[in-house]
Amino acid sequence: MNRRHILHLIGAAAAAWFAVPSPASAQQPIKIGEVNSYTGLPAFTIPYRQGWQLAVEEVNARGGLLGGRKLEVVSRDDAGKPDDAVRIAGELVANEKVDLLSGTYFSNVGLAVADFAAREKIPFVASEPLSDAVTWQKGNRWTWRLRPSTYMQAAMLVEEAAKLPARRWATVAPNYEYGQSAVKWFKELLKAKRPDVEFVAEQWPAQGKLEAGPTVQALAASNPDAIFNVTFGADLAKFVREGDNRGLFAKRSVVSLLSGEPEYLEPMKDEAPKGWIVTGYPWDQVKTPENTAFVEAYRKRFNEPPRMGSVVGYATFTAIAAAIGKAGSTDGEKLLAALAGLKIDSPFGPVLFRAIDHQSTMGAFVGRTDVKDGKPTMVDWRYADGAAYLPPDDVVRTLRPAE
Amino acid sequence: MDFYLVQFLSGLAQAATLFLVASGLSIIFGVTRIVNFAHGSFYMLGAYLAWTFVERWGSDVLGFWGGVLLAALLVGALGAVMEVLLLRRLYRSPELFQLLATFGVVLLVQDAAFGVWGPEDLLGRRAPLLKGTVDILGRPFPLYDLVLIALGPAVLGLLWLLFNRTRWGTLVRAATQDREMTAALGVDQARLFTGVLFLGSALAGLGGALQVPREAVNLHMDMAMVVEAFVVVVVGGMGSLPGAFLASLLIGQLQAFGILVFPQITLVLVFLFMAVVLVLRPYGLLGRKEEAPPPAAAAGPPFAPTGRRAGLAALAALAALAAVPLLAGEYALIVLTEVAILALAAASLHLLVGFGGLVSFGHAAYFGLGAYGAALLVKHVAAPMPLALLGAPVLAGAAALIAGWFCVRRSGLYFAMLTLAFAQIAWSITFQWYGVTGGDNGILGVWPPAWAASRAVYYEVTLALVAAALWALRRAAFAPFGYTLRAGRDSPLRAEAVGIDVRRHQWLGFALAGTAAGLAGGLYAFAKGSVFPTLLAVPQSVDALVMVLMGGIQTVAGPVVGAAAFHLLRTTLMASEHWRVILGLVIVALVLLFPQGIAGFARRLWNRGAEA
């Protein structure tokens, strides 16, 4: 028994393990591959998974697609690592013979899978990754995205920020691409609307490692009129608690990205900030028929209120099912043609997948945070349709690489 | 002025938490020599348990502080249980092997915490009576932070009393200085170790529990803390509690004031500081030479060069592997390509760990730099694949030559942490140098050219290059160079005495290992089509170390077997939602069943068969 023997044994075992499956026949289910960071960011991805499960169950309960074929999702954890995600995408395509890829949370994972999809010529519907690069600088023919990008969400908040009297702004954002591009767009778009504003301080804590006391103190020292915040999750809770303690938010306006999403807002309970201008999802107040139906079905199925992730998962698979129905086939090229200009009804209302840059027009709710009966919530909100917060078409064309 | 004072106080409050956790780590390492990766997990468990208790009883002062204390004690008990059930069975294996066991525990705790407390961040109650702020020179400062600031020196004082005024403490100090002698004098090692694990883990748990009023308890607390705690221990000097205290003060202040001067540098500030300290002071700030750790990998039996039969068998196996594409599907080729690449990466690390006795915590840097070397050549000068694959080891080797020059001047855990510092610096460069590296969005489109585009062809290319590189590494290991390296590992003093320049050989060994890892990285870039800073990050370095240890450090085949076992296990298990708990259990079971590693176990079987 030496190393080559052992290696050989393992090689043989692996080969048997991953034997080539038989090709799909007409009445077999339509297989969709799904990759997400289930262990890396469960606070978002678990509700997300429940969302797509609900969508898939609804499609199958209606009798499936393409004359009775059921939708089957093969879902995998990528552990938050792009190289793992690429291998898993390979497994889904080679072994599971999926017709379409979907999912991903982190931008770098989304970009890695998008690049893989372009090489393998398989459609990829990215659900969550927010980076502008997914549909713009590094966009490709095979990749589509549901969530409003960093640019769109920043633009939604700038609209509100420009109405504030504040002139001196400070920013705090996690030190990676998402935080950086959010701050970049916020500055650029706000200066275009309000040439009189100035940015007096910026803080770039490492994601997940915000030193709350020093950061709050440093922001307060610059004495801004308003603060633009991009931190989220555990960093946000720390920042809010310490900022509240030290009076950072007193008499200052705060504009904050994603902070109205239930997964980030609700853990803060009665300590949630009041009066912050945020993007988010007031799930219990949106009384449109689409949202009411979704919330009811979701609560019935999972016995808990939906989160933002639930909507993203649900809408992603609603779109995928609609695309397959519209294409009348699972052929890649036909699916691409169907996705271009595809219209679906999401819990947020109608959403269109734009042919020009493969970005959907899904929007977000913009409003102010508040605490009512000890529970955080959003007030004075309105739905900001994503279509209104994208640059003009001729600008978009220059952002995407030529095909 | 008032602003700087308040900023200084904020730094002190942060330092107190750091000190609590790091002092526990320092005590555990000092006595048991265990590199305890699970220390951060105990910190996280302390926070979660305290959250539960404080939610239930924390409305009054007694309930709150009782809950915090109870959480710390429970975590201490868990630490003791880990010692009795797991670590105690490993004291006769190579010391480093316990690191693998604690890594298994990390995975178990991650999944357990997720299972018990759920995915969402938990914001706990604030401490009763300490919710408000006091005005310090007109600026508000949280009362609770003042308590923390006082707690740091108080704990240091109590620990000093414990170690200098009690019999148990004296024994712990004796064991820290000379374990064998203490045992020879009749001190029950097992009980001492259990006690030390209890104390150290309880301190970590206390550090975590005290965070409940400050931040939301979350599932990422373990990794965020454990690396920083190691930094504090090493900067302060191993085994020195005042050193750990001083280091945590300095790092707390560095973070408080660093963000004022360079807000963009938060990612790497601590590691830059550690690199500077270690380059200037070989044993940290207050560490003493006599308390310096021995080389982390103890001298084992000599590696036996295998005979002609084994060589032929190796060739036959290679031929069999080369024939796999005839049988296997696409995905099997994807996985086997990765196994081959990781085998080379692990073998290159094994050259350092096994032959050189140099444990690197930052080997992923050279793997990642290799990947970036290839990707940058493709992206910026449109280099063809062969040229890019040549560039990969060149960039990684050059970086290893520079970092190695500094690293080999330190030993044991100081060496390991210096390699980690360089790896983190390299990581932050790839992360933040947008213009060149694309930052955390990485470099896309690094696919093989048309002739190698099919998975089978790329697999064969990889197999050929990996086999050649493994052969070259093996040649180096059994050439006079490799024997010299081992002489330096087993007895640096005697090696120096016979005229060997140990450092120079270690330096060249480091560069060689970096070069080989770079080639593996280059191959990985083309296998994946994209490169990201995650390839240089701490988890990647830990994975490489786990592969080497799993295979066993005392056999030549170890890293190859370990890489195959770890990667096949991980990829297979990831189809399950609870892959972390299963992988953790498998690792713990492997550690208990094969304390010499898988290949070491196989060799024992083989030798037994040969004797019979």
Side-chain angles (χ1 to χ4, degrees):
Chain A
M1 209 60 179
N2 68 13
R3 68 168 151 161
R4 293 295 173 186
H5 279 124
I6 294 167
L7 202 59
H8 188 176
L9 277 180
I10 290 168
W17 205 298
F18 308 117
V20 192
S22 57
S25 79
Q27 277 313 305
Q28 276 183 338
I30 302 167
K31 279 190 169 182
I32 307 294
E34 203 279 333
V35 193
N36 225 314
S37 305
Y38 292 109
T39 54
L41 216 108
F44 184 92
T45 46
I46 304 287
Y48 161 86
R49 176 166 59 201
Q50 294 177 352
W52 66 248
Q53 280 171 344
L54 181 65
V56 170
E57 284 163 12
E58 285 181 5
V59 167
N60 287 340
R62 284 197 299 265
L65 295 161
L66 306 182
R69 288 175 68 185
K70 300 262 185 233
L71 206 53
E72 183 188 327
V73 181
V74 188
S75 170
R76 296 272 190 272
D77 175 32
D78 62 30
K81 286 169 75 180
D83 49 333
D84 277 334
V86 171
R87 183 190 57 249
I88 289 160
E91 183 215 340
L92 294 174
V93 171
N95 271 18
E96 302 291 342
K97 306 276 179 216
V98 299
D99 296 308
L100 185 144
L101 289 169
S102 63
T104 73
Y105 180 89
F106 296 104
S107 290
N108 54 8
V109 177
L111 287 166
V113 175
D115 194 43
F116 173 87
R119 183 175 189 245
E120 295 290 318
K121 301 198 181 347
I122 182 162
F124 169 46
V125 179
S127 48
E128 172 68 17
L130 295 179
S131 174
D132 301 317
V134 174
T135 50
W136 291 351
Q137 295 88 340
K138 291 174 182 172
N140 66 53
R141 225 182 133 223
W142 297 87
T143 302
W144 303 74
R145 180 197 20 221
L146 178 76
R147 266 319 278 284
S149 65
T150 316
Y151 174 92
M152 293 159 74
Q153 305 219 21
M156 292 170 193
L157 287 176
V158 162
E159 192 178 17
E160 300 298 320
K163 295 177 193 159
L164 296 171
R167 289 176 57 188
R168 292 167 59 84
W169 283 82
T171 65
V172 52
N175 198 353
Y176 69 107
E177 198 262 359
Y178 163 63
Q180 281 149 358
S181 71
V183 167
K184 186 189 96 181
W185 288 126
F186 186 81
K187 280 184 175 175
E188 219 175 289
L189 296 172
L190 186 60
K191 283 217 160 178
K193 285 198 172 175
R194 285 280 301 272
D196 59 325
V197 300
E198 54 173 337
F199 287 86
V200 294
E202 45 188 56
Q203 279 297 318
W204 299 99
Q207 165 69 5
K209 291 188 183 166
L210 177 100
E211 303 283 347
T215 306
V216 163
Q217 201 61 38
L219 287 173
S222 66
N223 201 18
D225 303 330
I227 296 166
F228 176 57
N229 166 62
V230 192
T231 66
F232 59 94
D235 282 343
L236 175 67
K238 239 192 290 188
F239 179 63
V240 168
R241 192 168 252 194
E242 199 69 30
D244 207 30
N245 250 347
R246 302 191 185 206
L248 175 67
F249 309 128
K251 293 183 211 137
R252 290 199 176 100
S253 310
V254 180
V255 173
S256 189
L257 213 57
L258 307 187
S259 310
E261 294 184 0
E263 33 278 80
Y264 307 127
L265 190 61
E266 286 181 7
M268 291 191 277
K269 295 185 283 190
D270 58 339
E271 288 181 42
K274 290 179 195 166
W276 285 23
I277 299 168
V278 296
T279 56
Y281 173 40
W283 60 271
D284 51 342
Q285 303 172 54
V286 181
K287 298 293 183 199
T288 58
E290 297 93 345
N291 189 60
T292 311
F294 167 72
V295 171
E296 257 173 35
Y298 189 91
R299 298 191 81 161
K300 200 171 148 212
R301 171 73 176 78
F302 300 107
N303 205 18
E304 63 181 41
R307 312 264 150 184
M308 187 66 208
S310 321
V311 179
V312 172
Y314 185 81
T316 303
F317 275 75
T318 308
I320 289 170
I324 295 170
K326 184 178 165 195
S329 150
T330 56
D331 175 68
E333 289 287 348
K334 287 185 182 149
L335 283 173
L336 288 192
L339 276 160
L342 179 76
K343 280 184 193 151
I344 60 160
D345 286 319
S346 79
F348 285 10
V351 166
L352 173 99
F353 281 80
R354 293 161 30 120
I356 182 173
D357 61 355
H358 297 196
Q359 171 68 47
S360 100
T361 62
M362 185 182 187
F365 293 88
V366 180
R368 287 176 186 265
T369 56
D370 202 353
V371 178
K372 283 184 180 166
D373 309 325
K375 280 185 185 153
T377 182
M378 277 172 76
V379 294
D380 302 333
W381 50 265
R382 64 182 174 84
Y383 180 62
D385 190 325
Y389 299 92
L390 281 153
D393 285 0
D394 49 328
V395 177
V396 168
R397 274 188 206 99
T398 64
L399 290 171
R400 264 173 86 83
E403 270 165 17
Chain B
M1 190 56 228
D2 50 343
F3 167 67
Y4 292 108
L5 178 70
V6 171
Q7 198 74 350
F8 175 75
L9 289 176
S10 299
L12 282 185
Q14 188 57 30
T17 309
L18 263 183
F19 170 68
L20 284 180
V21 182
S23 63
L25 190 64
S26 181
I27 294 166
I28 292 176
F29 184 86
V31 177
T32 64
R33 296 279 184 258
I34 293 172
V35 178
N36 184 11
F37 273 166
H39 204 65
S41 309
F42 289 137
Y43 165 78
M44 179 170 79
L45 275 181
Y48 269 112
L49 285 170
W51 178 86
T52 305
F53 298 148
V54 166
E55 283 297 291
R56 180 162 300 178
W57 302 305
S59 52
D60 58 8
V61 178
L62 198 66
F64 177 85
W65 292 101
V68 166
L69 216 58
L70 182 61
L73 291 176
L74 271 179
V75 171
L78 275 177
V81 167
M82 177 175 85
E83 199 276 337
V84 172
L85 291 184
L86 185 59
L87 301 178
R88 183 173 292 182
R89 291 156 206 277
L90 300 174
Y91 289 135
R92 270 186 288 166
S93 7
E95 276 166 354
L96 207 53
F97 217 64
Q98 292 143 359
L99 180 156
L100 187 55
T102 61
F103 178 71
V105 174
V106 169
L107 293 173
L108 287 177
V109 171
Q110 273 177 353
D111 217 43
F114 170 63
V116 175
W117 285 281
E120 275 194 6
D121 301 343
L122 304 172
L123 194 65
R125 239 186 251 263
R126 300 197 201 198
L129 301 187
L130 297 173
K131 285 178 189 162
T133 54
V134 281
D135 268 12
I136 293 178
L137 299 182
R139 288 184 190 258
F141 188 78
L143 263 173
Y144 185 75
D145 284 16
L146 282 181
V147 174
L148 281 187
I149 292 172
L151 211 62
V155 169
L156 178 66
L158 285 176
L159 288 175
W160 188 87
L161 283 178
L162 179 67
F163 287 129
N164 290 285
R165 291 288 181 271
T166 67
R167 183 181 152 73
W168 187 80
T170 311
L171 291 181
V172 168
R173 276 193 302 136
T176 309
Q177 286 193 357
D178 195 330
R179 213 163 95 180
E180 280 72 30
M181 183 56 84
T182 319
L185 292 173
V187 175
D188 184 348
Q189 290 241 22
R191 273 179 60 190
L192 193 63
F193 283 15
T194 312
V196 163
L197 254 297
F198 175 83
L199 176 63
S201 307
L203 284 168
L206 181 63
L210 289 170
Q211 293 309 298
V212 171
R214 304 181 85 212
E215 59 178 292
V217 182
N218 64 83
L219 294 165
H220 301 282
M221 291 175 85
D222 52 349
M223 281 299 134
M225 180 47 88
V226 70
V227 177
E228 218 153 282
F230 269 111
V231 171
V232 169
V233 168
V234 163
V235 165
M238 318 268 334
S240 163
L241 284 179
F245 189 71
L246 180 62
S248 50
L249 286 186
L250 286 174
I251 287 175
Q253 294 310 331
L254 191 71
Q255 284 169 335
F257 287 97
I259 62 166
L260 298 178
V261 191
F262 323 99
Q264 293 270 15
I265 209 173
T266 44
L267 294 177
V268 71
L269 194 59
V270 168
F271 295 97
L272 275 175
F273 177 65
M274 175 168 76
V276 170
V277 169
L278 286 186
V279 164
L280 296 178
R281 292 191 61 94
Y283 304 104
L285 292 173
L286 294 183
R288 290 203 306 269
K289 189 172 180 188
E290 56 267 33
E291 285 176 6
F303 292 87
T306 38
R308 173 186 292 263
R309 259 176 59 202
L312 286 176
L315 278 179
L318 184 61
L321 277 174
V324 165
L326 299 176
L327 308 167
E330 289 258 295
Y331 178 58
L333 291 180
I334 296 177
V335 173
L336 279 182
T337 306
E338 291 177 12
V339 165
I341 293 168
L342 293 174
L344 176 57
S348 70
L349 177 60
H350 179 252
L351 183 75
L352 287 180
V353 178
F355 290 89
L358 301 165
V359 179
S360 166
F361 284 173
H363 204 58
Y366 311 102
F367 182 74
L369 283 175
Y372 268 94
L376 288 171
L377 280 172
V378 169
K379 217 64 216 169
H380 292 283
V381 297
M385 187 172 84
L387 184 65
L389 284 180
L390 197 69
V394 171
L395 178 68
L401 213 54
I402 298 168
W405 191 86
F406 292 100
C407 294
V408 298
R409 266 141 237 274
R410 303 292 172 256
S411 61
L413 201 61
Y414 293 107
F415 169 87
M417 292 304 285
L418 196 52
T419 59
L420 176 69
F422 279 106
Q424 287 297 97
I425 293 166
W427 170 79
S428 71
I429 291 172
T430 59
F431 200 95
Q432 288 199 308
W433 196 8
Y434 276 81
V436 173
T437 62
D440 50 312
N441 275 355
I443 300 174
L444 306 179
V446 192
W447 296 106
W451 64 269
S454 103
R455 303 229 190 274
V457 175
Y458 192 71
Y459 167 71
E460 300 290 355
V461 170
T462 304
L463 199 62
L465 286 173
V466 166
L470 283 178
W471 178 80
L473 280 179
R474 195 181 168 286
R475 275 294 299 229
F478 289 105
F481 172 75
Y483 284 97
T484 319
L485 209 55
R486 270 181 272 166
R489 174 196 74 182
D490 292 345
S491 178
L493 264 183
R494 278 182 232 173
E496 294 276 3
V498 296
I500 293 172
D501 188 342
V502 172
R503 261 186 205 165
R504 173 186 288 263
H505 279 86
Q506 288 179 336
W507 182 33
L508 292 177
F510 196 91
L512 179 63
T515 311
L519 175 63
L523 286 166
Y524 201 68
F526 281 101
K528 293 291 174 189
S530 48
V531 299
F532 297 94
T534 45
L535 294 180
L536 292 82
V538 179
Q540 196 81 25
S541 290
V542 174
D543 281 358
L545 210 52
V546 167
M547 289 173 203
V548 170
L549 293 172
M550 233 165 135
I553 50 176
Q554 287 170 0
T555 56
V556 183
V560 177
V561 175
F566 181 74
H567 196 62
L568 291 177
L569 265 174
R570 190 165 174 278
T571 50
T572 314
L573 292 179
M574 268 177 77
S576 149
E577 188 184 344
H578 292 287
W579 63 270
R580 285 181 303 190
V581 77
I582 307 173
L583 186 61
L585 285 175
V586 168
I587 287 177
V588 167
L590 276 177
V591 167
L592 291 176
L593 292 175
F594 310 131
Q596 306 292 322
I598 303 172
F601 175 75
R603 188 181 60 177
R604 274 236 310 268
L605 272 188
W606 174 264
N607 288 345
R608 200 181 296 164
E611 280 160 22

